[in-house]
Amino acid sequence: MWHYNLELAVRGLRRFPRSTMLVLLTVALGLAACMTTLTLLHMLSADPLPGRSQNLYLAWVDTVLAKPMDSHSAAMELNHVTFDTGYHRIKLADAQALLAAHRAVRQTVVADMEADEISGDGRHAERQQLILATTSDFIPMFGVTLRYGRDWTPAEDANRTPVAVIDTDLATKLFGTPDAVGRDVRLKHTLFRVVGVIQPYAPQPSFYALDHGAYSSDGGENLYAPYTAALDAGLVPDDSDACDASYKASATQAANDPQHCATLGLWVQLDTPRQVAGYRAYLQGYVQQQTALAGFGKPPRSQLTGVADWLKQKNVVPDRVRLNVWLAGSFLLLCMVNVAGLLSARFLRRSGEVGIRRALGAPRRAVFQQHVLEAGLVCLVGGVLAWPLTLLGLWILRQQGDAFSGLARLDPAMFGALFGLALLVGVLVGLLPAWRVAVVEPGLQVKSE
Amino acid sequence: MRHIIKPLFRHRMMPLLVVLQVALACAIACNALFLLQQKLVPIVTPDGVGHPARLIVASRIVPRGAPWSTSRLYETEQALHAIPGVTSVSVAASLPMEDNVRVGGQVFGQGAGTKANAAVYIGDHLVDTLGLQLVAGRDFSAAEQATRYKNIGVSNSGPTIITQALARRLFPDGHVLGRVIRIGDIPDAGRRTVVGVVAHLMRNVMSQDDRSDIDYSMMFPGIPGHWAMPSFGVRVTHAAMAPAVLKAVKTTIQQALGSDIVVGIEPNYQRYAELRDAMLARPRAAVWLLSGVSLIVLLVTVVGVMGLTGYWVQQRMRQIGIRRALGAQRSHILHDVQLENLLVVGTGILLGMALAYAVNLWLMHHYELSRLPWTYLPYGALLMLLLGQLAVLSPALRAARVPPVVATRSV
């Protein structure tokens, strides 16, 4: 029966080639528009670290010795600088105290810094590279894969030892070989000994360093070093949330001195809800003990934010991407209504045929099945046609020049989703016309013939 | 009329599908065109900058440590001015089309009870360097240009030059020169007296939703004090000299400030025309995308209506034949089909308008979009009606060609 119905459906498709082409094209356009935007959204809203991110939290205490910044006051607004602050960074002393307390399963500070990376022999140099100043916990905590050598140790953190872990790309560029363990990289005037080489690591979005853009097509940091040693080497964190009020006047050295400015992000790993609650209480307790804060009119504030919440809070997926999904989705809906109409016309044109089939004893179910099958087939073929169109759409997206547009590529999951969607659309679209033709009264049709 | 409406109710599916299609197309097209129009605003609004090919912008110059002193910036400005072919140089807190830093906020028209969100450009010789067109009043005097601020200058009092659009907004009565603008609503806010009005000066915020306030800008004279990211504007006599001057500007700034420029952030030297192109690339891409979408939506709708009406007409061949046999003229049949389409599409449009508005409300709520201006609705309706008539033309003509003899034979 299935086979017979399939044959009828294929035959039906070939009956009116012009309207079939029209239906195919409409389906393909709708599907392609929808898949293009969905693919981008899927890429942008993916979990940056599947399996790990749900246990990672950004911890923040507000201990900047300055009046709270009131965004409503005219002075603030008129001095409005577009560097988005509020990345929940903390000052050096707090970072050290919170790290030393070891209240979480793992904890690490992160700060992006920029410097020239020069090979120990001075032969090769990579200018103005992004460096991540962090602690030994970063690599196990964020699931970074070591290729050669080792992670640095907590002791090396504490001793401010200039060691570094670099990725294979940088190793190849500087030393001509990925296995660069034991070589030296000069940052400013300090030689950092390479102890480990990792696979290039750039989770998208790069949730722990959002101030350099949430998405990057060319990877992020390529060198990781103990923050203590990095600060000793005279490297400076790129940005700060705010500085102590007293700091501005004495500004002669670095603009973002971590002693006085909130420049470090503190990430902790907490595995159970109890640990989360405990750490939250601990943070609040910590900030309440900061007596120096008195007189600045600040309530004691602390926050512990999970990765997903953090990405949502920072609006990492741009609104226009979601807006485009809605636009394309409604376009697909329009295409479906259109196709439903075209299919109804085509099916009802064959009412006579159906009448005869029914009169000869074909049950309604068979007629219905045949037509839903035909609709599904049309949409599946439309899905095949939509595939190159989707690739074209993604190519157009990549030309738009957004930082994230380079990520717009069709992965196997989305490829499967395309055909799933095509089939679903086909069946949904076919239901109404198929029902309409299935209720054709056999007697009447044959008589009117 | 009855012979048109009645069959619509007897065979509900076909007209219903047309109504649904038109309604959806209406809702999508209205909102897409609205988004499109917003993306067009920065592209079509004049930025006020004269001869963009003759302006060179140096930006993203970040000091290591404390901001440069005003006198150091002034010396740099002098050095830039000495480059052959340079007519005017400005040191400013920010410049149009440059979005690294922007200054702006609420300003109040004193005595007029009006307020607006405006961009503030603080810098010397801005009118000359940007090539702005002064339409009333005067440029800042030499004494005013020499102002040195302790802070950046926002809370200081002094003279200001504003755009025509901002003047109209703050002082609707038309008297602008000599009026006072209060900067912000804090008690010690700066007060600025308007000495001049320029035709246009676009603010350097691209994502502004409101069409009108993209041209709300004001200028303060003098070099901003204690400002961590100064920009330099350099105007040259001929566009042909720009590449050579650009190089000279680079070396001059490198010589004057290079030793203190932060490592890692590369200063940006560009001709204004290129800067503008780069800044408008994203809205331009969006315009193409949205116009493509709108076009395809309308095309799909026309094709759909055409197909459905074609079938709907074909089904009634016999009736049409009977009517023709009974004496109905070709034009009667034609007009009947057209009128029927008008009714069905009209219903779709009414539904679509409501839907468009609902969608817009929803978008406003979730995506901070502005309200769909109601003027879109009649235009949208007219467009859809025209398209509906266009779509029905070929099936209607086919119906009109049905010979009366069809009535006598079975289909």
Side-chain angles (χ1 to χ4, degrees):
Chain A
M1 200 63 208
W2 267 90
H3 186 75
Y4 175 64
N5 277 337
L6 194 68
E7 206 183 303
L8 277 181
V10 172
R11 200 174 286 253
L13 276 183
R14 289 155 71 180
R15 266 273 295 280
F16 306 104
R18 240 179 58 193
S19 102
T20 303
M21 276 318 292
L22 220 57
V23 169
L24 279 182
L25 215 62
T26 313
V27 169
L29 274 177
L31 282 175
C34 212
M35 285 313 293
T36 305
T37 54
L38 273 179
T39 303
L40 187 61
L41 183 68
H42 169 75
M43 291 296 183
L44 297 192
S45 55
D47 186 345
L49 281 186
R52 266 175 206 278
S53 63
Q54 72 274 16
N55 294 335
L56 297 180
Y57 294 84
L58 176 64
W60 175 68
V61 287
D62 181 13
T63 61
V64 175
L65 301 177
K67 281 197 172 126
M69 293 206 285
D70 178 4
S71 58
H72 294 295
S73 84
M76 241 331 276
E77 216 190 330
L78 284 164
N79 288 309
H80 178 68
V81 176
T82 52
F83 291 132
D84 191 1
T85 56
Y87 284 103
H88 282 190
R89 285 175 282 222
I90 58 178
K91 294 194 288 183
L92 184 61
D94 300 309
Q96 284 168 332
L98 293 172
L99 279 183
H102 279 290
R103 292 300 184 98
V105 181
R106 282 179 175 134
Q107 47 258 304
T108 184
V109 301
V110 292
D112 269 331
M113 300 177 177
E114 276 179 68
D116 295 345
E117 296 161 348
I118 300 165
S119 61
D121 55 12
R123 282 229 195 114
H124 299 279
E126 294 291 311
R127 302 274 168 210
Q128 287 166 4
Q129 298 291 303
L130 217 49
I131 287 160
L132 193 74
T134 180
T135 68
S136 59
D137 265 357
F138 182 85
I139 286 178
M141 192 168 148
F142 283 70
V144 184
T145 325
L146 265 171
R147 273 286 294 281
Y148 306 101
R150 57 174 179 91
D151 185 10
W152 68 82
T153 61
E156 281 167 319
D157 266 330
N159 297 334
R160 316 177 82 91
T161 320
V163 288
V165 167
I166 63 177
D167 70 15
T168 48
D169 287 352
L170 180 65
T172 315
K173 276 183 196 155
L174 289 185
F175 308 107
T177 161
D179 187 359
V181 175
R183 310 283 191 106
D184 290 317
V185 181
R186 189 160 61 80
L187 306 173
K188 286 208 152 175
H189 301 296
T190 308
L191 282 178
F192 282 73
R193 171 67 45 96
V194 176
V195 295
V197 180
I198 57 166
Q199 295 284 10
Y201 179 76
Q204 305 284 343
S206 85
F207 58 96
Y208 54 85
L210 286 176
D211 45 338
H212 279 272
Y215 304 96
S216 64
S217 316
D218 58 344
E221 306 90 357
N222 56 13
L223 187 147
Y224 301 74
Y227 76 103
T228 47
L231 291 176
D232 282 352
L235 298 178
V236 178
D238 273 351
D239 275 315
S240 73
D241 284 3
C243 298
D244 293 342
S246 60
Y247 168 68
K248 234 180 210 165
S250 62
T252 45
Q253 273 292 303
N256 294 324
D257 180 1
Q259 297 277 5
H260 304 285
C261 298
T263 53
L264 307 170
L266 178 71
W267 286 86
V268 294
Q269 180 183 336
L270 302 163
D271 293 335
T272 64
R274 252 192 73 188
Q275 288 175 356
V276 175
Y279 202 83
R280 195 164 270 144
Y282 163 67
L283 271 185
Q284 189 59 25
Y286 176 85
V287 72
Q288 273 163 1
Q289 284 164 16
Q290 302 298 309
T291 45
L293 276 171
F296 286 99
K298 274 186 170 180
R301 286 192 302 167
S302 70
Q303 231 159 50
L304 192 62
T305 322
V307 172
D309 284 341
W310 178 238
L311 294 178
K312 210 156 142 199
Q313 204 175 316
K314 298 311 286 180
N315 249 332
V316 157
V317 179
D319 266 358
R320 60 178 182 282
V321 173
R322 284 213 187 80
L323 206 61
N324 284 348
V325 172
W326 284 107
L327 196 65
S330 53
F331 176 59
L332 179 64
L333 192 67
L334 175 75
C335 288
M336 282 171 71
V337 172
N338 201 337
V339 168
L342 289 173
L343 285 181
S344 308
R346 157 213 284 284
F347 290 172
L348 287 174
R349 274 200 181 119
R350 295 196 304 239
S351 301
E353 233 171 84
V354 172
I356 295 171
R357 257 190 92 196
R358 291 270 288 121
L360 290 177
R364 279 213 168 123
R365 198 164 43 81
V367 174
F368 185 72
Q369 200 187 55
Q370 177 211 330
H371 288 95
V372 171
L373 214 60
E374 190 173 327
L377 212 61
V378 162
C379 291
L380 213 55
V381 178
V384 174
L385 210 61
W387 179 32
L389 281 178
T390 306
L391 292 178
L392 178 75
L394 289 173
W395 180 81
I396 292 173
L397 274 188
R398 283 198 292 275
Q399 309 306 310
Q400 301 230 335
D402 279 313
F404 54 75
S405 45
L407 296 169
R409 286 177 202 284
L410 203 61
D411 61 353
M414 287 314 271
F415 186 72
L418 170 65
F419 287 98
L421 189 66
L423 206 62
L424 182 76
V425 163
V427 172
L428 280 180
V429 151
L431 284 179
L432 179 72
W435 166 80
R436 185 68 189 74
V437 73
V439 296
V440 158
E441 284 298 328
L444 270 178
Q445 273 303 327
V446 176
K447 223 164 82 186
S448 80
E449 199 67 5
Chain B
M1 203 67 177
R2 262 187 61 198
H3 67 280
I4 295 173
I5 297 174
K6 254 197 155 168
L8 291 180
F9 282 97
R10 203 170 313 134
H11 299 273
R12 279 175 300 251
M13 196 171 77
M14 287 292 158
L16 210 67
L17 281 173
V18 174
V19 166
L20 208 59
Q21 219 175 86
V22 171
L24 269 173
C26 239
I28 301 174
C30 273
N31 280 288
L33 288 173
F34 178 51
L35 284 174
L36 174 87
Q37 177 261 337
Q38 285 186 339
K39 299 287 175 201
L40 271 175
V41 168
I43 298 174
V44 298
T45 310
D47 56 4
V49 174
H51 301 289
R54 286 198 218 157
L55 178 62
I56 289 163
V57 173
S59 61
R60 256 199 346 189
I61 303 165
V62 186
R64 192 181 331 146
W68 285 293
S69 64
T70 312
S71 41
R72 184 101 181 262
L73 293 174
Y74 186 67
E75 281 158 24
T76 311
E77 188 182 280
Q78 292 298 307
L80 289 171
H81 214 299
I83 298 171
V86 170
T87 57
S88 176
V89 183
S90 291
V91 182
S94 58
L95 289 170
M97 292 293 161
E98 184 239 315
D99 70 341
N100 290 315
V101 167
R102 50 210 189 197
V103 186
Q106 290 289 341
V107 295
F108 300 82
Q110 199 149 310
T114 49
K115 67 172 177 176
N117 190 292
V120 175
Y121 292 108
I122 307 169
D124 54 353
H125 318 294
L126 280 174
V127 172
D128 287 340
T129 305
L130 297 179
L132 304 177
Q133 190 196 343
L134 209 58
V135 291
R138 58 170 178 90
D139 193 0
F140 298 120
S141 68
E144 287 163 349
Q145 301 283 22
T147 312
R148 298 202 176 186
Y149 300 110
K150 206 166 158 238
N151 294 315
I152 72 164
V154 165
S155 45
N156 291 59
S157 297
T160 183
I161 296 176
I162 66 177
T163 58
Q164 240 171 342
L166 184 61
R168 245 176 267 142
R169 164 72 190 224
L170 288 181
F171 305 107
D173 57 8
H175 300 291
V176 185
L177 296 177
R179 301 286 288 272
V180 173
I181 294 171
R182 188 157 54 88
I183 317 299
D185 53 3
I186 47 170
D188 56 347
R191 280 166 176 72
R192 291 273 173 178
T193 313
V194 181
V195 298
V197 178
V198 289
H200 296 287
L201 175 57
M202 198 193 277
R203 54 194 299 170
N204 53 351
V205 186
M206 286 286 126
S207 57
Q208 215 66 30
D209 250 356
D210 193 345
R211 270 184 300 171
S212 51
D213 77 357
I214 193 150
D215 205 12
Y216 287 179
S217 311
M218 48 202 304
M219 286 175 283
F220 300 167
I223 291 179
H226 208 83
W227 183 246
M229 265 178 95
S231 298
F232 292 86
V234 178
R235 182 161 284 273
V236 295
T237 44
H238 301 291
M241 301 185 73
V245 175
L246 183 73
K247 246 181 229 150
V249 166
K250 217 172 185 170
T251 39
T252 308
I253 290 183
Q254 200 58 40
Q255 263 170 18
L257 304 171
S259 57
D260 290 328
I261 290 179
V262 82
V263 180
I265 302 174
E266 189 73 354
N268 189 33
Y269 303 94
Q270 251 180 327
R271 276 196 274 179
Y272 179 76
E274 288 152 17
L275 186 69
R276 185 185 149 91
D277 269 356
M279 278 305 285
L280 293 182
R282 195 187 283 166
R284 207 172 281 138
V287 163
W288 282 111
L289 197 75
L290 286 168
S291 43
V293 166
S294 310
L295 202 70
I296 290 176
V297 162
L298 296 177
L299 209 69
V300 162
T301 315
V302 167
V303 166
V305 172
M306 211 188 274
L308 284 175
T309 326
Y311 168 74
W312 179 234
V313 164
Q314 198 195 19
Q315 246 205 344
R316 290 173 300 173
M317 282 292 203
R318 213 147 133 210
Q319 292 169 34
I320 295 169
I322 293 169
R323 284 196 57 213
R324 290 275 283 126
L326 291 177
Q329 302 210 319
R330 277 170 193 261
S331 61
H332 284 154
I333 306 293
L334 185 74
H335 290 156
D336 279 359
V337 178
Q338 284 178 329
L339 194 64
E340 179 195 270
N341 175 274
L342 202 70
L343 280 177
V344 174
V345 172
T347 315
I349 288 170
L350 284 182
L351 212 69
M353 293 294 142
L355 195 61
Y357 209 68
V359 167
N360 175 245
L361 282 182
W362 185 84
L363 289 178
M364 268 169 68
H365 184 70
H366 287 272
Y367 296 100
E368 290 173 11
L369 244 63
S370 45
R371 185 178 292 279
L372 187 73
W374 67 269
T375 45
Y376 267 71
L377 303 182
Y379 283 122
L382 201 68
L383 181 72
M384 289 312 285
L385 277 181
L386 282 176
L387 286 177
Q389 289 299 309
L390 191 75
V392 86
L393 204 59
S394 119
L397 283 172
R398 206 176 326 138
R401 272 200 303 270
V402 171
V405 76
V406 167
T408 61
R409 62 168 192 235
S410 54
V411 183

